[in-house]
Amino acid sequence: MTVGVLGASFDTGNLGVSALTECTIKCVLKQWNNAEVKLLGGCRVGGEQHIKVQDMEVCVKKVPIRFCKNVFLARHFCILLTYALLFKIFRWEAFKRFCGRRNSVLKEICELDLVADITGGDSFSDMYGIRRFVFGFLHKWLMVLFNKPLILLPQTYGPFRRPILKMMAKYILKKASIVYSRDSEGVEYLREILGTRFVQDKVRLRPDVAFQLDPKKPGNIDVGNLHEVQSVDTIVVGLNVSGLLHNGGYFANNELKLKVNYPDLVQSVIENLFQKQNVLILLVPHVFPPPGHSYESDPEACQRVYDQLSSKYPNRLFTVSGQYNHNEIKYIIGMSDFFIGSRMHSCIAAISQLIPTVGVAYSKKFIGVFRTVGMEQYVADMRKWTKEEIVAQISGAFDQRHEMVKRLRQVVPGLKDSALGVFEDVHIQYDK
């Protein structure tokens, strides 16, 4: 079995996307243990990447699909689109093999039995701008033109606020063989835009695949002197600070329409929690962007918060320093007794380790994912709530953290099993 994976990469610096990538590979190998996996589109050049999945060394191919100015590159989308259209006219297998020998990226695509798309978990939407949506659409459309069975893995769908983009999304949704939603809200949204019959025929509900990411202890953990001041009585609160929100969005103009000033909210949350006894706060980044994307750097935002407040709260406020991968940051999140996250997958990393968690939301995806574990009341929506309401919500959840753990122990193991079996519904006939 040869499976292509779209909308996933280990190279973005967003550890949520890295977690989705590894867990998608893990799900593929659970269903087809000898499968070959190819990551499509999310790189500039091809190559191989070796990762360890459940103590097994896995070699993953990276297959570039480019949108650069040099349209004559063999791996350029326009070249590959031309081949896809030619294959609609000239259907002979000998012709396809001949073209594949002349273009290595085309050959990799032709060998695929199945394409699974996860669109970064929440980017099948125009919420992050037209450019990101269109590139994602073009990748999916190309696979449809090559007649590859397309599976949309558990993710958030929409919102689609622009009519033309909504039409494009509907096209892909209707062409997909199976459409998975990671929450019940997604199923209802698809019912609204596509109709009940489509939902009954194609849509499945499955948890986010990242629930079954394995934590791995880093070789070195830099959290200052946290371990020196910890005791059996202290309560470590993990606080994920989003660089994107701390900088006011992609263009620093609050395009996400938050009702609160995020830096002020973070400070108020910290000061409120420090009024409680024995609380230590660890600032946890979850996006380590490449150079040139500092506007969404969580480490920089965490450091700013630490520099601002550490002298006021000596030996009580700490920050995670250094570089970590998705498995390692999940292990660090697991050091918390209570967690507050502005990045969706930082919250999933905590919840999946049975840590009571509050999601500080900037989009609809939070409420849906939290509802899958019966914890939707612990989502504080910055688009709707005031700073005072959010601080009070977090304070109340902190006081209820023991009840939250009991709930998580009941539901999380089943969610992990369900997430791992996402390809059980897929029945593909293929010849090798």
Side-chain angles (χ1 to χ4, degrees):
M1 191 69 171
T2 304
V3 179
V5 179
L6 274 175
S9 172
F10 291 110
D11 304 324
T12 66
N14 185 321
L15 301 189
V17 176
S18 298
L20 289 171
T21 306
E22 177 172 324
C23 291
T24 298
I25 295 168
K26 188 175 178 182
C27 292
V28 170
L29 297 177
K30 167 69 166 56
Q31 188 67 25
W32 304 287
N33 57 5
N34 292 318
E36 180 181 9
V37 179
K38 301 178 182 180
L39 299 181
L40 306 174
C43 56
R44 289 180 174 272
V45 294
E48 295 180 346
Q49 186 157 351
H50 295 265
I51 63 169
K52 188 169 273 190
V53 179
Q54 291 185 316
D55 298 322
M56 180 172 62
E57 196 77 25
V58 178
C59 177
V60 180
K61 281 189 176 181
K62 298 198 290 187
V63 180
I65 299 173
R66 302 286 288 127
F67 291 93
C68 57
K69 293 180 180 179
N70 185 0
V71 296
F72 298 105
L73 284 175
R75 56 186 179 271
H76 198 281
F77 171 83
C78 292
I79 297 294
L80 298 171
L81 175 63
T82 301
Y83 278 117
L85 296 175
L86 284 173
F87 290 176
K88 296 287 186 185
I89 303 170
F90 305 106
R91 300 175 181 268
W92 313 302
E93 290 301 318
F95 176 69
K96 294 178 182 179
R97 289 194 296 272
F98 171 77
C99 294
R101 288 193 295 269
R102 296 172 60 86
N103 186 315
S104 60
V105 173
L106 175 66
K107 181 176 182 293
E108 299 283 5
I109 293 174
C110 289
E111 291 173 350
L112 298 174
D113 297 302
L114 168 74
V115 175
D117 169 82
I118 203 160
T119 327
D122 68 344
S123 294
F124 200 173
S125 164
D126 57 8
M127 180 178 69
Y128 297 113
I130 296 176
R131 177 186 173 91
R132 184 184 295 192
F133 174 85
V134 169
F135 282 170
F137 166 82
L138 292 175
H139 280 126
K140 298 176 187 61
W141 182 48
L142 186 65
M143 297 303 120
V144 169
L145 291 177
F146 275 113
N147 292 321
K148 301 301 176 182
L150 177 64
I151 309 299
L152 300 181
L153 293 175
Q155 56 190 284
T156 297
Y157 298 98
F160 304 112
R161 290 167 292 201
R162 300 167 179 84
I164 183 64
L165 302 188
K166 189 174 183 178
M167 289 176 55
M168 294 162 67
K170 287 171 69 173
Y171 172 85
I172 294 296
L173 289 163
K174 289 181 177 180
K175 289 292 185 180
S177 301
I178 299 177
V179 177
Y180 288 107
S181 174
R182 63 182 177 184
D183 53 62
S184 56
E185 282 75 12
V187 176
E188 289 307 310
Y189 184 71
L190 293 173
R191 194 188 310 275
E192 286 178 25
I193 64 175
L194 295 169
T196 300
R197 182 177 175 182
F198 174 88
V199 170
Q200 290 173 340
D201 291 344
K202 286 191 178 182
V203 176
R204 310 280 192 275
L205 183 62
R206 288 271 182 171
D208 191 296
V209 296
F211 270 101
Q212 32 92 28
L213 179 70
D214 299 315
K216 295 178 183 176
K217 185 177 181 178
N220 179 57
I221 302 176
D222 186 354
V223 291
N225 63 332
L226 172 65
H227 298 306
E228 298 173 17
V229 300
Q230 270 186 283
S231 70
V232 293
D233 297 321
T234 55
I235 304 164
V236 177
V237 175
L239 175 58
N240 163 239
V241 181
S242 165
L244 179 64
L245 301 180
H246 208 268
N247 289 313
Y250 292 104
F251 306 105
N253 63 358
N254 191 28
E255 65 266 22
L256 296 173
K257 309 300 181 185
L258 304 188
K259 193 174 181 179
V260 301
N261 180 288
Y262 183 76
D264 288 348
L265 173 64
V266 171
Q267 180 173 341
S268 295
V269 168
I270 291 172
E271 292 178 339
N272 177 269
L273 288 171
F274 278 147
Q275 294 175 19
K276 302 177 185 291
Q277 287 188 338
N278 301 320
V279 167
L280 307 176
I281 296 179
L282 177 63
L283 305 174
V284 183
H286 207 259
V287 171
F288 297 75
H293 294 78
S294 60
Y295 59 87
E296 58 177 331
S297 171
D298 289 8
E300 290 186 14
C302 288
Q303 190 63 48
R304 286 200 296 269
V305 174
Y306 178 80
D307 292 342
Q308 180 184 9
L309 297 173
S310 58
S311 59
K312 186 177 180 180
Y313 301 103
N315 292 323
R316 296 192 71 189
L317 182 65
F318 308 88
T319 188
V320 176
S321 301
Q323 286 284 329
Y324 304 91
N325 67 22
H326 48 291
N327 308 98
E328 293 168 340
I329 211 71
K330 181 167 184 175
Y331 179 92
I332 293 172
I333 288 172
M335 295 161 48
S336 307
D337 302 300
F338 181 77
F339 191 78
I340 306 159
S342 301
R343 299 282 190 181
M344 182 71 256
H345 279 95
S346 73
C347 295
I348 291 175
I351 290 171
S352 61
Q353 297 182 91
L354 309 183
I355 298 170
T357 302
V358 174
V360 183
Y362 63 88
S363 79
K364 68 175 187 174
K365 63 182 177 179
F366 282 77
I367 190 74
V369 171
F370 272 70
R371 184 166 283 135
T372 62
V373 290
M375 291 175 58
E376 62 270 24
Q377 67 270 37
Y378 299 112
V379 173
D381 195 332
M382 292 182 286
R383 302 169 303 165
K384 302 175 182 178
W385 293 18
T386 65
K387 179 179 73 174
E388 291 73 22
E389 289 171 329
I390 294 173
V391 171
Q393 166 76 335
I394 292 171
S395 180
F398 178 87
D399 295 337
Q400 299 166 18
R401 63 189 183 280
H402 299 298
E403 289 73 23
M404 295 169 72
V405 171
K406 293 177 184 177
R407 171 65 181 169
L408 293 175
R409 284 174 178 162
Q410 293 174 349
V411 300
V412 168
L415 284 176
K416 288 183 176 181
D417 290 341
S418 181
L420 187 58
V422 70
F423 286 104
E424 291 172 350
D425 298 331
V426 181
H427 304 288
I428 301 296
Q429 299 296 322
Y430 64 96
D431 271 325
K432 287 296 184 189

